[in-house]
Amino acid sequence: MPTGRQEAALWKRAAASYVDCFLCAHRCHVAPGKRGICQVRENVDGALATLVYGRVIARHVDPIEKKPFFHFLPGSRSYSVAAVGCNFRCGFCQNWQISQWPRTAAGAMPGETLAPEEIVSAAHRYQCASISYTYTEPTVFFEYARDIGILARQAGLKNSFVTNGFMTPEALAEMAGWLDAANVDLKAWQDSFYRKICKARLEPVKETIRRMHEMGIWVEVTTLLVPGQNDDAGDLKGIAEFLASISPDLPWHVSRYHPDFEMREPPATPLETLERAVEIGRGAGLRYVYGGNVGTMEDTVCPSCRATVITRLGFSVVERNLRGAACGKCGAALPLIIA
Ligand code: SF4
């Protein structure tokens, strides 16, 4: 049975009993007895340990649309799990109670102790088509996600990450063969936003999106629009053109922000800002741009004949007009992974 603490993956020994972690792009050089920036990996006697293996802080059965995924297993359920911790410190985090927990906690991490097999069997029991690693940052509970993910694949389930994308190429290489899909937050087009608001950097996130697409992992991207911070029209155009250069079929979700954690200002994103972002995305050549957290702008439309092929209400699929993964009206093949 998992205990919470076990030897981590993706690290190497350094001089003077330090260790170098290369799971995420912070690439922490960790002193003996200290933790990395994520606060869930610790140098124990010159070896790196993960403190969150098998420690589940949240698990729910969610519609896959809630992640959000609109082209990956639409209309299905996803068994969603998290451990505490994150390698970012976003001032507007909407799950900060669990993502930032380890910064204030010494010793053992909180959560139910569950073996990977128990997660996979629960996913089957609740008739889920996939397991999502979500709510906090799954990169920092990589070893647990990997062990669940491999078992899930063997059991006929798919796996998805909801991630900030701040992982290394070495970590991504370890996800080949079991990670099917990722919704990556591309939080802004300015590196200064990443440095100031998230205490991270932009470039590794862009690199992850590129590499995941090349690896055949299905990618959708989300940008939470924070008024006055990342919603400049030129910046949104930069994001949209970057995504379109990878693939015009890459779905982009532009979502409404609301004040949380350390950011009580500005107020929630106006609807007009979301509408403008959707237009910018389409203008850059993206075929699937969705407005999120507003209850409209969430239907999937066939780019060939403009028929609505998936109608959504909130996180529910209420109508499909599909033949397999093709448009039910004109028969055009669509970028959909159907359960
Ligand atoms: S996962 Fe990232 S933040 Fe955590 S110890 Fe490793 S390099 Fe540092």
Side-chain angles (χ1 to χ4, degrees), residues 9-11 19-30 35-42 48-49 86-88 103 139-142 166-168:
L10 296 158
W11 65 278
V19 297
D20 290 330
C21 178
F22 49 95
L23 174 56
C24 94
H26 285 306
R27 294 187 182 271
C28 295
H29 183 58
V30 189
R35 297 180 188 169
I37 289 171
C38 60
Q39 298 294 316
V40 295
R41 294 165 87 76
E42 186 172 307
L48 190 65
C86 189
N87 49 353
F88 279 17
R103 293 184 197 287
T139 304
V140 303
F141 62 91
F142 166 77
F166 199 69
M167 56 198 67
T168 59

Side-chain angles (χ1 to χ4, degrees), residues 192-206:
S192 55
F193 179 100
Y194 269 88
R195 288 179 188 271
K196 183 173 152 212
I197 310 272
C198 309
K199 313 292 184 275
R201 288 172 288 120
L202 168 65
E203 200 50 46
V205 181
K206 289 167 63 183

Side-chain angles (χ1 to χ4, degrees), residues 168-185:
T168 59
E170 299 94 306
L172 263 178
E174 297 283 318
M175 296 173 196
W178 61 268
L179 186 65
D180 298 285
N183 188 305
V184 182
D185 259 357

Side-chain angles (χ1 to χ4, degrees), residues 84-295:
V84 293
C86 189
N87 49 353
F88 279 17
R89 200 175 185 284
C90 305
F92 52 82
C93 182
Q94 297 181 354
N95 283 336
W96 61 270
Q97 292 95 335
I98 55 175
S99 71
Q100 302 301 319
W101 179 299
R103 293 184 197 287
T104 54
M109 294 296 146
E112 273 180 283
T113 300
L114 291 167
E117 295 80 1
E118 293 177 279
I119 298 292
V120 174
S121 67
H124 268 306
R125 197 161 60 247
Y126 289 102
Q127 299 174 326
C128 296
S130 64
I131 297 177
S132 291
Y133 310 88
T134 178
Y135 307 131
T136 58
E137 176 49 49
T139 304
V140 303
F141 62 91
F142 166 77
E143 294 82 359
Y144 187 47
R146 175 201 58 199
D147 290 357
I148 298 169
I150 291 169
L151 286 178
R153 265 293 189 89
Q154 290 166 357
L157 298 168
K158 294 194 186 309
N159 294 290
S160 74
F161 263 32
V162 181
T163 175
N164 59 31
F166 199 69
M167 56 198 67
T168 59
E170 299 94 306
L172 263 178
E174 297 283 318
M175 296 173 196
W178 61 268
L179 186 65
D180 298 285
N183 188 305
V184 182
D185 259 357
L186 181 49
K187 294 174 189 285
W189 194 236
Q190 296 298 331
D191 188 59
S192 55
F193 179 100
Y194 269 88
R195 288 179 188 271
K196 183 173 152 212
I197 310 272
C198 309
K199 313 292 184 275
R201 288 172 288 120
L202 168 65
E203 200 50 46
V205 181
K206 289 167 63 183
E207 191 54 30
T208 292
I209 294 169
R210 276 193 213 101
R211 281 179 186 266
M212 282 182 161
H213 180 75
E214 284 165 14
M215 289 168 69
I217 295 170
W218 176 255
V219 180
E220 305 196 15
V221 167
T222 297
T223 303
L224 187 74
L225 297 181
V226 185
Q229 299 283 345
N230 64 352
D231 61 345
D232 173 81
D235 286 356
L236 296 177
K237 190 160 175 273
I239 293 176
E241 287 175 348
F242 166 69
L243 299 179
S245 75
I246 295 170
S247 169
D249 285 339
L250 197 154
W252 186 31
H253 302 260
V254 285
S255 294
R256 169 174 270 176
Y257 144 95
H258 62 82
D260 214 325
F261 191 30
E262 293 170 342
M263 277 178 68
R264 311 314 302 178
E265 296 280 339
T269 317
L271 188 57
E272 310 79 66
T273 305
L274 293 162
E275 289 169 342
R276 189 189 52 160
V278 169
E279 283 312 308
I280 289 171
R282 289 181 182 150
L286 291 172
R287 297 190 181 113
Y288 306 97
V289 189
Y290 301 101
N293 296 346
V294 284

